[in-house]
Amino acid sequence: MTPPSAGAGTGTADGSRVPAGRAVRRATAATARRRSDAGIGQLLGDLYYALIMVAIGIGMALGVVEVARDALRPAPVVPAPGPDLGLPSLAGLAVLGFVGVVLSLAGRLGPVGVGAAEATWWLPLPVDRRGLLRPTAARLPLLAGGVGALVLVLVDLTVQGYGGTSADRLVRFGALGGLGTAALVLLAGVGQSLGAVRRRIAAAGHASVALVPVLAVVGALTGWRLEALPSPGAVVLAVLTVVVVAAAVALDRRLGRIPGRDLRESGSISSQAVGAVVSLDSRELGRTLVEGAARPRRRRSARFGAVRSASAAVVAADVALLVRSPRHVVQVLGATVAPAVVLVVPELASTAVLAIVLVGSGYVAMLAGAEGARRAEMAPVLDRLLPLSARRVRVLRTAVPGAVAVVWSLGAFAAVAQLHGDLADGGAEGLMAWLALGLASAPVWAGAAVRSAYRPAPDWAGPLVSTPAGAVPLGVLAVLSRGPDVVALGLVPVLIALLLGAAPVPVLVAQGVASAIVVAVCVRLPATAAGGAGAGAGGAR
Amino acid sequence: MPASPVIHADALVLGYGGEPVCAPVSFTLEAGRALALVGPNGSGKSTVLRAVLGLLEPAGGELQVLGAQVDERDARFRAQVSSVLDDDAYFPALTVAEHLVLTARGHGVADAADVVADLLDDFGLTGHADVLPVALSSGQRRRLLLAAGFARPRRLLVLDEPEQRLDQRMRSALAARLRDEADAGGAVLLATHDPALLEAVADAAVLVGDVESPVLPVTDAARAIRSEPTR
């Protein structure tokens, strides 16, 4: 190992020299590089591959914008009576939601942290931590800035269209997104160095996200609306630049003030999150991020007085998990309101857009309801203690997602009824039909929740298919599609009803049959687990 | 004028999320002494050690290490306090010897190569000096961590159940090394479940648990360990 240079370091009590933190970091990295046998050719190859992936990603995003523009209806020349939000207003609210997501992630991931090896071998050294942590501290703001720039450009393109914007305007939006997002992450880092509790930073992000549907409803009811997204002025960009520079300098100077325990926790969560992303394990990613923002507190133990059986215990545990997680409750409420918000934006109030929003918001609500099943799959503590068969456990775990789906359906399908004029005078029969269709489709979401929660780990041993974006592992895709696959198939009757503009009895019957099939498929055990009824119930996949 | 103690804890309250994990803890550790924390699993021994190392903020009481409030962000604190916790993380591309050299040089040890060679020999790792940690057994990785604790200057050595994953011979060698550490003027604070290690190393012990305990003679603490309930 190349010894870290002592030249720039500090003296110790016995007169010896401690190296600079930067020297320690570089010596560690140099040794790792030498041993990895990675030459300049491989480095350039990796860089080329990364650039191609980014270019493909941007190209796909621009394609989505193009499709979205085509799906939008023209804005009415004369505003229609009733609630009216407008597309620019919704885009503004979407930016607020993006700010919330950035803050939430910054709080959960640190933003400054070190991995387990660095925490064990670097942090106890009496070297300056600033030199150790500089690259780590710069990584997340840079990444966030890049993503922020892209998101704001896409938002402007979606609202204005290619013909309604200009290169100068896009550059300004890109700069606004990049600088604003980087500033948020850097300020979160400064907060971390000042001792701010990271989960409070994340909670501020959650609050911003939760505000989006609330402001949308309030805006629609009060008549507030943006006529257009204002192009960011030079003064705004200059101020943001100053903020970014000031925050970067402040964070750099305060890196040594971040407590070691905080660096360890942040690094641990970041490492797990990166591992989950690399292995395409969205379930693990969700667990990591949820636990990263969890408050370490004890709760008064519930008496569970109403629990009289093993079956009731499983359901009660899932209910307790949901109601003790305000984030998931807000997630359900937000998803329930989302379809109604779409209807108050004239450009979005179409069957196609509503169908997309129904699927998206339904999936968000489903994830909140599936939390009990997802955690039980990871650690089936309760399931193993109860005298229940594996299949019975799966059936019971559809109860909470099913209840959540019922709540969401009432809101979502009321929006569908409104789109088709069935909320107007005399439309009670149509409204009831749509609500009946929503209730009939709720089991599909419940089954999908259990199917996705109990899916096996991604299978990397399957065949690879070559695509322009690189090799795609089919085994992994097959695993990741568990859950969404039954949603796509089980909601075909709903799709037909949306196309018909009504929910006639045959469609209702078809939906009931489809829901029954989906639930039967989703609670079925794989052959290896079917024989293991009883004690190992929860662990069976 | 007597020197200030290395550690002074008075009615120290520790916990997570505002909930204490054990009764308040009080003890004093002076240079040249070894103090053991004993108690069943989950009693709060590791929590006390984490507070001493500045990895956990006390919820109440007083805690001073080396005559000052604990602040592990201070490089002077880190230069004087060595610790071996239950970490099991390593740089995947650095060999066993390189981990120790990094530690020694990072603390400004002038003759790092010699110090590391001696430690590799003492901890039975000479034959594995050029091996990556991933190729070591669990016990060998534990020995590497312990060696790192001794590869650097220190006034206080903090160890969390150092006997874990060690064979009997290495436990005895470790006990002798820890006793030598205290006899040479260093201070040792360790948590342990091993009554033999306790009796060979410690001058006194504190029983950590639901009830506030005075500092105990080692024989009483060893008896307490032997009567710990099996959980």
Side-chain angles (χ1 to χ4, degrees), chain A residues 184-437:
Chain A
L184 279 175
V185 178
L186 286 167
L187 289 172
V190 174
Q192 186 186 11
S193 75
L194 288 169
V197 180
R198 290 186 298 109
R199 71 168 176 281
R200 289 193 183 143
I201 297 173
H206 298 161
S208 295
V209 174
L211 266 180
V212 172
V214 175
L215 289 179
V217 171
V218 171
L221 294 178
T222 60
W224 170 83
R225 58 179 288 156
L226 281 173
E227 293 305 325
L229 284 179
S231 179
V235 174
V236 172
L237 296 179
V239 169
L240 266 180
T241 304
V242 171
V243 170
V244 167
V245 171
V249 171
L251 177 58
D252 185 65
R253 289 191 175 164
R254 295 193 58 82
L255 281 175
R257 303 306 301 162
I258 301 176
R261 59 176 179 275
D262 215 26
L263 293 169
R264 284 169 184 258
E265 285 173 15
S266 303
S268 169
I269 293 165
S270 297
S271 300
Q272 287 181 49
V274 168
V277 169
V278 169
S279 60
L280 299 178
D281 192 343
S282 60
R283 190 176 48 191
E284 179 61 24
L285 181 64
R287 285 176 192 145
T288 302
L289 294 179
V290 166
E291 282 163 17
R295 189 177 173 189
R297 63 176 176 181
R298 293 186 181 185
R299 292 180 181 276
R300 180 178 295 176
S301 296
R303 293 180 179 278
F304 290 119
V307 174
R308 307 267 187 229
S309 66
S311 300
V314 172
V315 177
D318 283 3
V319 171
L321 187 64
L322 179 63
V323 299
R324 286 178 179 182
S325 172
R327 191 180 73 83
H328 286 115
V329 174
V330 171
Q331 190 172 323
V332 173
L333 295 178
T336 305
V337 173
V341 170
V342 167
L343 296 188
V344 295
V345 180
E347 295 94 325
L348 296 180
S350 66
T351 299
V353 174
L354 189 59
I356 294 169
V357 173
L358 275 184
V359 172
S361 61
Y363 192 73
V364 169
M366 183 202 83
L367 287 179
E371 194 60 20
R374 289 159 76 100
R375 286 177 181 249
E377 190 278 337
M378 178 179 65
V381 179
L382 180 63
D383 302 7
R384 287 183 190 280
L385 292 173
L386 297 172
L388 294 168
S389 71
R391 186 173 187 282
R392 177 78 177 153
V393 167
R394 286 202 183 192
V395 171
L396 291 168
R397 292 223 180 274
T398 62
V400 170
V404 167
V406 165
V407 171
W408 170 82
S409 296
L410 293 176
F413 282 81
V416 176
Q418 185 181 354
L419 177 70
H420 293 289
D422 290 328
L423 279 188
D425 295 339
E429 194 176 321
L431 171 65
M432 294 310 291
W434 283 114
L435 292 182
L437 182 63

Side-chain angles (χ1 to χ4, degrees), chain A residues 24-36:
Chain A
V24 170
R25 170 168 52 78
R26 288 184 171 172
T28 311
T31 307
R33 260 198 313 274
R34 201 172 55 246
R35 197 150 285 139
S36 70

Side-chain angles (χ1 to χ4, degrees), chain B residues 4-21:
Chain B
S4 63
V6 177
I7 304 176
H8 176 68
D10 185 18
L12 187 61
V13 179
L14 300 165
Y16 299 94
E19 295 289 334
V21 298

Side-chain angles (χ1 to χ4, degrees), chain B residues 5-8 51-54 63-71 77 81 156:
Chain B
V6 177
I7 304 176
H8 176 68
V52 168
L53 295 171
L63 175 62
Q64 290 212 328
V65 175
L66 298 166
Q69 299 288 323
V70 177
D71 185 358
F77 178 89
V81 180
L156 170 63

Side-chain angles (χ1 to χ4, degrees), chain B residues 97-148:
Chain B
E98 285 169 342
H99 276 87
L100 296 179
V101 169
L102 178 75
T103 302
R105 288 201 187 279
H107 282 272
V109 175
D111 51 349
D114 294 341
V115 168
V116 167
D118 289 345
L119 284 169
L120 288 169
D121 189 39
D122 291 351
F123 282 89
L125 292 168
T126 302
H128 304 281
D130 298 326
V131 166
L132 297 178
V134 70
L136 298 179
S137 72
S138 158
Q140 288 167 335
R141 290 201 306 273
R142 183 66 176 166
R143 279 188 263 159
L144 169 56
L145 273 181
L146 287 166

Side-chain angles (χ1 to χ4, degrees), chain A residues 16 35 121 125 127 129 257 260, chain B residues 17 72-73 78 89 93 98 108:
Chain A
S16 56
R35 197 150 285 139
W121 297 94
L125 300 179
V127 302
R129 285 188 175 167
R257 303 306 301 162
Chain B
E72 57 82 33
R73 295 172 298 183
R78 301 199 297 273
E98 285 169 342

